[in-house]
């Protein structure tokens, strides 16, 4: 078996240890005679896994009791709608920060439910920088302020929390959850789909302060009502059992790797390795402002754009795959989620230096 380093943005690389355990348990989960692919969601076995995943996530992220933790379907994309539906109450407006593709998607969806005030828009920088808070225009009647902590395509990441005038914060943490320490108590609602740092596609985690939830508008499908999911302990509908099981494994793995403090240091080092190559010469071009460079998704181009196809092909032939930029952006993008070992990033950095030397 040859495993490659998969730099894809998601569904993304999983730790080999997790894959091996899944394989080992696949036919017969712990002598139950049943595969997790066949396991009922109300069995004792699954309930134990579900409870462990929640307890581990709470421990890793330091999530207090006043927050509900939900394991849902629908992707982060459904949360673009569920956040306004569940937080607006009688309010008519909400604030959004537009830092790129995924913020824009959240904004577009929210416009169906409320007046969106775009408090800050990265358009003047081509979405490569974040405006300082002093320049933001926040509507104080808004129910909350939504932002995308890490733009998976643009590679723009907040390294600070935009707390403004007590405005409840809603954060899309899809591509950075568990990559570094986060003070959950600063947020009203956090959501993240799982296929990057939490396992496989099909699962979305929602962390929400219960007292900030408001009744959904009448006529809203009950599946979109977070309070229904809380009441049912995330079993309002048949949950994505297998994805939840893989998430439980990912959380255990992360704990054995030293939890968030160790992950933070690893991710800081991994990103620094790659940015050092990008900054070493003019051969590679990193578009993002230094103050908001992502640790998880690093987009870049080659100064000579015509070389990109050869770059991607040669990288793939050396076991460095998934490096093509998003279909809307082109160029190159390296995603360095928790499962990407430092050895993978060193291999990529070495390949990039060698490719540069060979073409200089
Ligand atoms: N937000 C961000 C930051 C993302 O990266 C993605 C997916 N790449 C989404 C939202 C959408 O997630 P999903 O496809 O799971 O709905």
């Amino acid at each position: 078996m040859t495993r490659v380093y998969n730099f894809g943005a998601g569904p993304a690389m999983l730790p080999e240890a997790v894959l091996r355990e899944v394989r080992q348990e696949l036919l017969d989960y712990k002598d139950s005679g049943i595969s997790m692919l066949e396991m009922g969601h109300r069995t004792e076995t699954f309930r134990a896994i579900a409870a462990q995943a929640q307890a581990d996530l709470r421990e890793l992220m330091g999530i207090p009791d006043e927050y509900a933790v939900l394991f849902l379907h629908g992707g982060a994309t459904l949360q673009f709608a569920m956040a306004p539906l569940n937080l607006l109450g009688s309010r008519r407006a909400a604030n959004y920060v537009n830092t790129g593709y995924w913020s824009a998607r959240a904004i577009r969806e929210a416009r169906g439910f409320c007046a969106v005030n775009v408090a800050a828009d990265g358009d003047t920088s081509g979405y490569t920088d974040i405006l300082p808070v002093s320049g933001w225009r926040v509507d104080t009647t808004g129910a909350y302020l939504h932002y995308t902590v890490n733009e998976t395509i643009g590679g723009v990441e907040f390294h600070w929390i935009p707390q403004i005038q007590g405005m409840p914060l809603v954060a899309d943490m899809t591509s950075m959850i568990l990559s570094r320490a986060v003070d959950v108590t600063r947020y009203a609602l956090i959501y993240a789909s799982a296929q990057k740092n939490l396992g496989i596609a099909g699962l979305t985690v929602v962390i929400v302060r219960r007292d900030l939830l408001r009744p959904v508008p009448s006529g809203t499908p009950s599946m979109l009502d977070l309070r229904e999911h809380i009441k049912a302990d995330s079993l309002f509908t048949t949950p994505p059992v297998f994805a939840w099981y893989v998430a439980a494994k990912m959380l255990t793995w992360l704990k054995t790797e030293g939890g968030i403090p160790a992950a933070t240091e690893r991710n800081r080092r991994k990103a620094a390795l790659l940015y050092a190559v990008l900054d070493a010469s003019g051969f590679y071009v990193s578009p993002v402002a230094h103050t908001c460079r992502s640790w998880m998704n690093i987009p870049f181009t080659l100064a000579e754009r015509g070389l990109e196809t050869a770059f991607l092909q040669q990288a793939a032939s050396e076991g460095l795959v998934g490096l093509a930029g998003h279909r809307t952006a082109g160029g190159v993008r390296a995603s360095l989620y928790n499962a990407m070992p430092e050895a993978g990033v060193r291999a990529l950095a070495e390949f990039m230096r060698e490719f540069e030397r060979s073409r200089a």
Side-chain angles (χ1 to χ4, degrees):
M1 184 195 73
T2 313
R3 296 261 307 154
V4 295
Y5 291 119
N6 175 9
F7 292 91
M13 194 164 178
L14 296 169
E16 196 171 315
V18 167
L19 289 172
R20 284 185 187 282
E21 266 186 49
V22 169
R23 179 175 71 172
Q24 203 234 319
E25 292 171 352
L26 193 68
L27 275 180
D28 178 7
Y29 180 76
K30 298 201 167 148
D31 295 326
S32 63
I34 295 177
S35 168
M36 278 313 297
L37 290 163
E38 309 166 305
M39 189 65 73
H41 59 296
R42 298 197 187 275
T43 57
E44 288 282 313
T45 306
F46 178 68
R47 281 184 179 267
I49 292 168
Q52 181 238 308
Q54 174 162 172
D56 284 348
L57 188 64
R58 282 187 182 276
E59 183 190 327
L60 281 162
M61 291 185 70
I63 304 171
D65 287 344
E66 58 266 34
Y67 287 76
V69 175
L70 299 168
F71 293 80
L72 308 176
H73 293 276
T77 303
L78 194 57
Q79 295 312 311
F80 295 162
M82 285 174 78
L85 280 169
N86 286 275
L87 295 175
L88 280 166
S90 58
R91 293 186 189 249
R92 296 268 169 269
N95 295 287
Y96 279 72
V97 182
N98 187 2
T99 47
Y101 182 91
W102 289 109
S103 320
R105 288 274 301 262
I107 289 168
R108 209 180 316 146
E109 193 76 355
R111 286 209 162 107
F113 308 103
C114 61
V116 169
N117 171 55
V118 178
D121 198 314
D123 53 355
T124 47
S125 69
Y127 300 101
T128 58
D129 202 355
I130 301 170
L131 282 176
V133 156
S134 56
W136 295 15
R137 295 175 320 277
V138 172
D139 176 353
T140 53
T141 70
Y144 58 84
L145 178 103
H146 175 284
Y147 76 113
T148 309
V149 182
N150 181 59
E151 284 284 354
T152 319
I153 297 172
V156 168
E157 182 168 11
F158 279 83
H159 296 284
W160 45 281
I161 299 178
Q163 202 92 60
I164 295 175
Q165 296 161 19
M167 186 62 63
L169 276 180
V170 177
D172 178 353
M173 295 199 183
T174 293
S175 49
M176 55 65 70
I177 194 165
L178 298 171
S179 68
R180 63 200 300 170
V182 162
D183 180 358
V184 172
T185 64
R186 307 276 290 274
Y187 294 89
L189 188 152
I190 291 168
Y191 60 89
S193 41
Q195 64 272 20
K196 299 159 195 306
N197 267 340
L198 263 167
I200 62 174
L203 177 75
T204 302
V205 164
V206 175
I207 302 163
V208 62
R209 227 179 81 187
R210 292 186 183 88
D211 62 318
L212 293 175
L213 287 170
R214 296 289 173 266
V216 295
S218 71
T220 303
S222 49
M223 266 291 275
L224 305 185
D225 187 343
L226 284 171
R227 293 185 307 171
E228 293 287 359
H229 292 288
I230 292 174
K231 254 190 283 171
D233 212 7
S234 297
L235 302 181
F236 181 66
T237 178
T238 309
V241 170
F242 195 77
W244 197 331
Y245 154 80
V246 176
K249 293 240 173 277
M250 287 289 283
L251 292 162
T252 304
W253 172 80
L254 192 57
K255 280 171 63 177
T256 61
E257 294 289 305
I260 298 295
T264 304
E265 285 319 306
R266 275 195 303 275
N267 290 326
R268 187 199 304 280
R269 283 197 300 270
K270 280 153 55 182
L273 254 173
L274 212 53
Y275 285 118
V277 179
L278 296 179
D279 292 342
S281 74
F283 188 79
Y284 299 105
V285 182
S286 158
V288 177
H290 285 229
T291 49
C292 47
R293 282 175 150 182
S294 171
W295 288 8
M296 291 286 104
N297 309 97
I298 304 184
F300 60 93
T301 55
L302 274 63
E304 201 175 316
R305 300 294 307 258
L307 285 176
E308 282 169 9
T309 306
F311 176 91
L312 293 169
Q313 278 170 356
Q314 205 170 312
S317 74
E318 298 188 21
L320 307 166
V321 308
L323 282 164
H326 188 261
R327 61 194 156 76
T328 59
V332 184
R333 172 178 52 170
S335 296
L336 312 181
Y337 302 122
N338 284 339
M340 174 59 67
E342 291 188 72
V345 186
R346 279 198 298 273
L348 176 60
E350 189 45 46
F351 168 78
M352 288 170 66
R353 280 192 288 263
E354 189 48 44
F355 187 85
E356 179 177 346
R357 267 196 296 273
S358 72
R359 303 289 164 149

